[in-house]
């Protein structure tokens, strides 16, 4: 009987107030935004939660082998992050930093490719300027005949919560050590050019202008010229039918 997001809005408001009453210096992070569900952040803003979280949290995961490096895809990391920032800007919250609170590369590929993907995530985060922190997931994983999580930086025989020796650092582990030494601090005030998908030069072309103008050619839709919203007509379809 109620949109579930309203319950989360109540929880976040109450949680934020309780945390700040205990210690105003503690940062409150909201529920994470999955990269393919950026509308969650927009909905939090629309529910009036702007003042109820201190950082924007995102989990940019994808099982696409081309993620996060291939530009033009929904899993392209810097474009995803810039879109999140754009949503915050459009909702009057331009200065709130973004935290990448969980990411990995969980595709069964060679270690060099995995390392390259993780390096790309770090490098683009640093270049964007507004990504304040990144949290790799996971650090140590059980690994035995590819039957466990292959996303980790260290492989341990057996389960990760009770590993046995030897623990094997991966190529990505050594990359992280080197990268951390090269960039101990990120200067968010001095962003560098990042590999972000450029904005479209024109609106997407739609062959059929739509039933809003009373256009024909829609299968499963009855055009109603007596009721409209943004045009001259509305389209009606049965709940059990399909619209083409």
């Amino acid at each position: 009987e109620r949109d579930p997001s309203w319950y989360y809005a109540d929880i976040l408001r109450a949680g934020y107030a309780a945390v700040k009453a205990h210690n105003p210096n503690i940062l409150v992070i909201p529920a994470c935004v999955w990269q393919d569900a950026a509308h969650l952040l927009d909905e939090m803003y629309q529910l009036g939660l702007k003042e109820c979280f201190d950082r924007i949290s995102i989990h940019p995961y994808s099982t696409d082998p081309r993620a996060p490096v291939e530009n033009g895809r929904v899993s392209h990391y810097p474009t995803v992050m810039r879109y999140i920032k754009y949503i915050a800007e459009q909702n009057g919250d331009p200065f709130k930093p973004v935290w990448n609170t969980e990411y990995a590369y969980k595709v069964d590929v060679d270690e060099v490719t995995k390392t390259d993907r993780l390096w790309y995530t770090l490098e683009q985060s640093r270049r964007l300027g507004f990504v304040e922190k990144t949290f790799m997931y996971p650090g140590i994983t059980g690994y035995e005949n590819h039957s466990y999580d292959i996303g980790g930086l260290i492989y341990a025989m057996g389960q990760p919560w009770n590993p046995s020796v030897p623990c094997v650092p991966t190529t990505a582990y050594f990359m992280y050590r080197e990268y951390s030494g090269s960039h101990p601090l990120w200067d968010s005030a001095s962003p560098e050019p990042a590999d972000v998908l450029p904005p479209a030069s024109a609106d997407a072309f739609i062959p059929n202008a739509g039933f809003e103008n009373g256009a024909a050619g829609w299968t499963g839709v009855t055009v109603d010229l007596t009721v409209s919203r943004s045009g001259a007509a509305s389209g009606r379809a049965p709940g059990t039918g399909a619209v083409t």
Side-chain angles (χ1 to χ4, degrees):
E1 298 178 357
R2 191 184 191 201
D3 188 315
S5 62
W6 294 6
Y7 292 111
Y8 177 68
D10 294 341
I11 292 170
L12 185 57
R13 287 192 185 95
Y16 186 87
V19 169
K20 295 300 182 178
H22 171 70
N23 184 343
N25 295 318
I26 294 177
L27 297 179
V28 176
I29 312 299
C32 78
V33 176
W34 188 49
Q35 68 177 17
D36 294 353
H39 55 82
L40 170 62
L41 180 62
D42 189 50
E43 288 161 3
M44 285 195 286
Y45 280 120
Q46 292 185 49
L47 288 167
L49 300 175
K50 173 183 172 182
E51 305 301 331
C52 297
F53 57 95
D54 300 309
R55 297 294 187 270
I56 298 168
S57 171
I58 182 170
H59 289 187
Y61 270 108
S62 177
T63 57
D64 186 343
R66 292 162 291 192
V69 300
E70 187 169 324
N71 206 325
R73 305 186 67 80
V74 70
S75 56
H76 182 240
Y77 178 74
T79 299
V80 167
M81 301 302 280
R82 187 64 191 88
Y83 181 49
I84 288 292
K85 188 66 171 174
Y86 171 80
I87 290 175
E89 292 168 351
Q90 293 299 302
N91 284 279
D93 201 14
F95 303 113
K96 189 169 290 179
V98 177
W99 284 14
N100 180 346
T101 46
E102 188 174 309
Y103 70 98
Y105 189 67
K106 293 177 172 290
V107 182
D108 192 0
V109 295
D110 61 273
E111 292 296 329
V112 174
T113 301
K114 184 179 84 172
T115 301
D116 176 70
R117 300 298 195 262
L118 294 174
W119 175 88
Y120 184 83
T121 301
L122 285 172
E123 180 70 2
Q124 294 299 317
S125 296
R126 182 183 65 83
R127 286 175 173 270
L128 285 167
F130 55 80
V131 183
E132 191 174 57
K133 292 182 182 294
T134 62
F135 295 89
M136 170 64 188
Y137 170 84
I140 185 170
T141 63
Y143 185 82
E144 191 171 8
N145 298 323
H146 282 216
S147 59
Y148 296 126
D149 195 328
I150 60 172
L153 301 181
I154 298 175
Y155 296 147
M157 298 303 292
Q159 299 290 0
W161 53 84
N162 186 28
S164 59
V165 292
C167 291
V168 181
T170 67
T171 306
Y173 168 84
F174 294 106
M175 179 275 293
Y176 266 80
R177 288 186 57 179
E178 180 179 351
Y179 197 94
S180 299
S182 302
H183 305 285
L185 294 174
W186 293 1
D187 184 3
S188 59
S190 302
E192 301 177 22
D195 182 27
V196 179
L197 179 69
S201 59
D203 291 338
F205 173 70
I206 302 176
N208 187 328
F211 50 75
E212 293 91 345
N213 298 320
W218 288 78
T219 300
V221 174
T222 300
V223 176
D224 186 343
L225 295 173
T226 62
V227 179
S228 65
R229 176 177 172 84
S230 60
S234 61
R236 301 177 181 275
T240 56
V243 174
T244 304

